[in-house]
Amino acid sequence: SQQGEEDPQALSIQEGENATMNCSYKTSINNLQWYRQNSGRGLVHLILIRSNEREKHSGRLRVTLDTSKKSSSLLITASRAADTASYFCATDSNDYKLSFGAGTTVTVRA
Amino acid sequence: ETGVTQSPTHLIKTRGQQVTLRCSSQSGHNTVSWYQQALGQGPQFIFQYYREEENGRGNFPPRFSGLQFPNYSSELNVNALELDDSALYLCASSLVGDQETQYFGPGTRLLVL
């Protein structure tokens, strides 16, 4: 079973626009991570946010975490064609065994 | 590049056969995890190895087994293949002292006919 659920399932935006996707999870976590996957290949680690953090930035990425609502969001600002990919949230409940959601497929149109 | 490699890239097997997938991690990465990703789904945790011992298993039957070697390589073995085993298999390794961050390989796509 999958711990995280991403919303929306798919997102299509124009280059330069922002993309926001959400993740909800069910049990308590140690940290939450976001990954990108291009064309069904390997996962690339984007950002990790710990349970005692509320917001984190990395380049054009902004992640928020609300542990009271068991939810997180990933914002990609000023999107580029190269951002076209599937994005997954993954939760770690302090045992380093990641539990992934089904992902959000993002398409950035030129 | 994550420094984690997997072989082969693609593989076709028939139902009932056995398969071995391989993963090579970076030096110092003493934890390796394996994940199964069905088409259109997120990865599902199969099991994890730490210092050559199994360190946790997801909801997968015993016909999924693994090995981890001292040279930072590892194997995933699947016996009695079923059609539903068709998926992308990903290995991920992490470094001593930073086990929160997992570095994924490119995956092996297995098709069972």
Side-chain angles (χ1 to χ4, degrees):
Chain A
S1 62
Q2 302 200 277
Q3 152 97 299
E5 295 287 339
E6 284 94 341
D7 170 60
Q9 288 186 329
L11 186 58
S12 180
I13 56 173
Q14 200 73 29
E15 204 165 23
E17 292 181 338
N18 295 343
T20 300
M21 59 210 86
N22 304 296
C23 169
S24 59
Y25 57 92
K26 297 171 186 170
T27 63
S28 63
I29 62 171
N30 184 48
N31 65 64
L32 185 144
Q33 306 178 32
W34 285 90
Y35 287 82
R36 185 185 74 228
Q37 185 176 42
N38 291 86
S39 302
R41 299 304 289 169
L43 295 162
V44 175
H45 183 265
L46 296 176
I47 196 165
L48 180 153
I49 187 165
R50 292 192 170 81
S51 59
N52 61 353
E53 297 175 312
R54 291 296 167 259
E55 188 171 313
K56 206 161 181 180
H57 297 254
S58 176
R60 294 184 295 112
L61 305 178
R62 172 179 169 254
V63 169
T64 62
L65 179 65
D66 186 336
T67 53
S68 66
K69 295 181 179 177
K70 292 187 168 59
S71 67
S72 173
S73 68
L74 171 66
L75 167 68
I76 305 172
T77 60
S79 62
R80 306 166 181 169
D83 295 328
T84 294
S86 292
Y87 292 83
F88 295 90
C89 69
T91 55
D92 178 355
S93 299
N94 205 29
D95 57 5
Y96 314 122
K97 301 169 182 68
L98 298 177
S99 183
F100 287 84
T104 294
T105 300
V106 175
T107 303
V108 181
R109 306 186 307 272
Chain B
E1 291 296 324
T2 64
V4 180
T5 59
Q6 290 186 244
S7 63
T9 305
H10 295 83
L11 199 53
I12 299 174
K13 290 285 189 178
T14 55
R15 196 169 45 183
Q17 285 188 312
Q18 178 266 342
V19 69
T20 298
L21 310 181
R22 294 180 173 82
C23 173
S24 180
S25 307
Q26 297 182 55
S27 176
H29 283 216
N30 64 353
T31 302
V32 65
S33 301
W34 286 88
Y35 295 83
Q36 179 196 66
Q37 186 179 19
L39 201 60
Q41 299 296 315
Q44 297 262 17
F45 173 76
I46 302 175
F47 46 56
Q48 183 183 86
Y49 276 78
Y50 173 69
R51 292 185 176 178
E52 302 164 45
E53 297 280 338
E54 186 177 294
N55 184 39
R57 170 179 282 266
N59 191 25
F60 282 82
R63 60 188 185 85
F64 285 78
S65 63
L67 287 171
Q68 185 186 24
F69 303 102
N71 65 350
Y72 306 109
S73 66
S74 59
E75 290 180 355
L76 164 64
N77 298 289
V78 187
N79 292 323
L81 283 167
E82 300 177 359
L83 298 179
D84 284 348
D85 295 334
S86 295
L88 180 69
Y89 288 86
L90 298 159
C91 74
S93 66
S94 55
L95 183 63
V96 173
D98 183 21
Q99 291 184 296
E100 289 179 326
T101 303
Q102 298 194 23
Y103 298 88
F104 280 80
T108 293
R109 189 164 295 282
L110 172 65
L111 177 61
V112 182
L113 300 175

